[in-house]
Amino acid sequence: MNMQSGNRTRGPKWSYDETLATFGLYMMLNQRQRNDKNNPHIAQLAVGLNRTASSVYMKLMNLRAHDPNEHARGVSGLAHSGKLEIQIWKEYQEQSDKLLILALNVYVSFIEKVPLPTQDARNRRTMHSSPTPQKSLVEETTSLLIDAPRPPIVAGQQQTTAPLGSEHETTALSRVNQSYFRNALIANYHDTCCLTGINIDPLLIASHIKPWKVSTGFEKTNAANGLLLNAFHDKAFDRGYMTIDDDYRVHISARVPHNDINDYWMYQFEGRYTTLPSSNPPSHEFIEYHQKHVFLTA
């Protein structure tokens, strides 16, 4: 099957399943990848949907326009956005993990027999500069889902449940959720630790204020439930050795003993304000939870 040329301005009406599959791809791509009209994964899905890459790209932009984390950053809805995008985001807020795993499975059902298009010359040069190029999140997740037994997908059927039938699906779901959450925080905090100012991307962690394991599905991906911290202070925050208050100031647990090293790495930040993100600041509801249930008191 050849990709269509993209000469037409309007194509067949999008179905629920097609939009859901595009939502699955949306959740796996970061902001830079979504904005790249030549992204091979966009082209691959376009072939699977028998649509143009441009139409899939526009559907991604329509989905972005209704993304709650993007709304908080000032991204407004598009005049031609369809009702399906609004509906799917609403279902995601209500069902979260169930809706996402269904979206990923529908996405795989459209692309699993479609080869990934050849990278352009620029990407090939980049890949050849490394002897062992890393798989993208999309490729890793797709591989997990294709290899795992999946419940049958009924075209056009709007399902409200999608049981996690395998360890593969659970792993894929976790990766996609965490990647989407991190991408949102990276954009909000401009790829910089909100405490130290460190801007070495591999050392930055998307820290949940209300822990992942006790968060609802949507809370896990809500940017207001996150801080972008360096790896050391992420661990300290996660283990309750530090917290923040409603004014976004840092407090160190009295369980951290005073000595020169601890004073340098921990206590020097006592009372210091964290840098606020450009949008979607930490929610006081999540901060209160961390103070009451995670922070280690004397």
Side-chain angles (χ1 to χ4, degrees):
M1 183 185 301
N2 295 323
M3 273 203 316
Q4 299 173 14
S5 64
N7 292 329
R8 63 187 180 181
T9 56
R10 294 181 64 87
K13 185 177 180 180
W14 282 73
S15 71
Y16 178 86
D17 285 349
E18 290 175 323
T19 306
L20 191 62
T22 310
F23 175 78
L25 177 61
Y26 177 92
M27 295 294 287
M28 289 185 280
L29 298 179
N30 61 35
Q31 190 177 66
R32 176 183 57 78
Q33 293 167 329
R34 291 181 203 133
N35 289 332
D36 180 5
K37 294 182 180 180
N38 297 315
N39 184 283
H41 298 288
I42 294 176
Q44 182 186 35
L45 180 58
V47 174
L49 297 177
N50 195 27
R51 292 183 177 274
T52 66
S54 294
S55 67
V56 174
Y57 168 78
M58 287 307 302
K59 181 61 71 170
L60 287 168
M61 293 301 99
N62 290 347
L63 285 164
R64 182 190 176 203
H66 298 288
D67 180 340
N69 285 331
E70 292 292 320
H71 259 189
R73 298 180 59 231
V75 175
S76 58
L78 304 180
H80 58 282
S81 293
K83 294 181 179 179
L84 287 176
E85 292 93 321
I86 299 173
Q87 176 185 343
I88 285 174
W89 276 112
K90 183 175 184 294
E91 290 174 357
Y92 177 65
Q93 288 181 274
E94 294 171 348
Q95 303 172 30
S96 191
D97 290 355
K98 291 180 180 179
L99 190 281
L100 180 55
I101 198 64
L102 178 60
L104 295 175
N105 279 321
V106 174
Y107 165 74
V108 165
S109 74
F110 279 110
I111 62 93
E112 62 182 326
K113 295 181 180 180
V114 180
L116 193 67
T118 304
Q119 300 280 347
D120 62 23
R122 175 178 56 81
N123 287 341
R124 286 202 301 271
R125 286 196 299 270
T126 302
M127 290 177 68
H128 290 167
S129 66
S130 171
T132 55
Q134 296 294 312
K135 284 187 176 181
S136 70
L137 175 72
V138 179
E139 292 165 320
E140 289 181 347
T141 302
T142 303
S143 177
L144 280 168
L145 289 166
I146 287 177
D147 292 342
R150 302 191 306 278
I153 301 300
V154 180
Q157 186 178 80
Q158 297 182 24
Q159 303 181 39
T160 57
T161 60
L164 301 180
S166 72
E167 182 179 345
H168 289 265
E169 285 187 329
T170 304
T171 301
L173 179 68
S174 178
R175 288 184 184 180
V176 172
N177 271 329
Q178 291 184 36
S179 178
Y180 168 75
F181 180 69
R182 185 178 190 274
N183 289 337
L185 291 186
I186 287 290
N188 287 356
Y189 285 94
H190 305 292
D191 214 4
T192 302
C193 171
C194 69
L195 182 60
T196 64
I198 289 173
N199 60 355
I200 304 171
D201 185 85
L203 301 182
L204 298 177
I205 307 295
S207 303
H208 282 84
I209 301 171
K210 181 179 179 181
W212 172 279
K213 63 183 179 181
V214 294
S215 293
T216 66
F218 188 65
E219 287 174 344
K220 292 176 181 177
T221 56
N222 185 345
N225 188 22
L227 299 171
L228 193 64
L229 292 167
N230 67 82
F232 172 76
H233 289 105
D234 161 71
K235 184 66 70 175
F237 187 81
D238 184 60
R239 297 295 179 86
Y241 289 105
M242 57 181 283
T243 193
I244 60 174
D245 62 23
D246 284 344
D247 294 322
Y248 309 112
R249 292 179 302 181
V250 173
H251 297 283
I252 307 301
S253 170
R255 297 205 192 172
V256 177
H258 278 280
N259 57 49
D260 290 344
I261 298 297
N262 291 349
D263 287 355
Y264 179 80
W265 287 101
M266 296 289 289
Y267 280 106
Q268 71 156 311
F269 298 104
E270 174 68 37
R272 182 178 297 189
Y273 289 95
T274 59
T275 301
L276 289 179
S278 56
S279 62
N280 226 2
S283 164
H284 296 303
E285 174 187 350
F286 298 135
I287 291 172
E288 182 180 2
Y289 186 96
H290 191 273
Q291 291 172 345
K292 290 184 176 179
H293 302 288
V294 180
F295 186 56
L296 298 174
T297 56

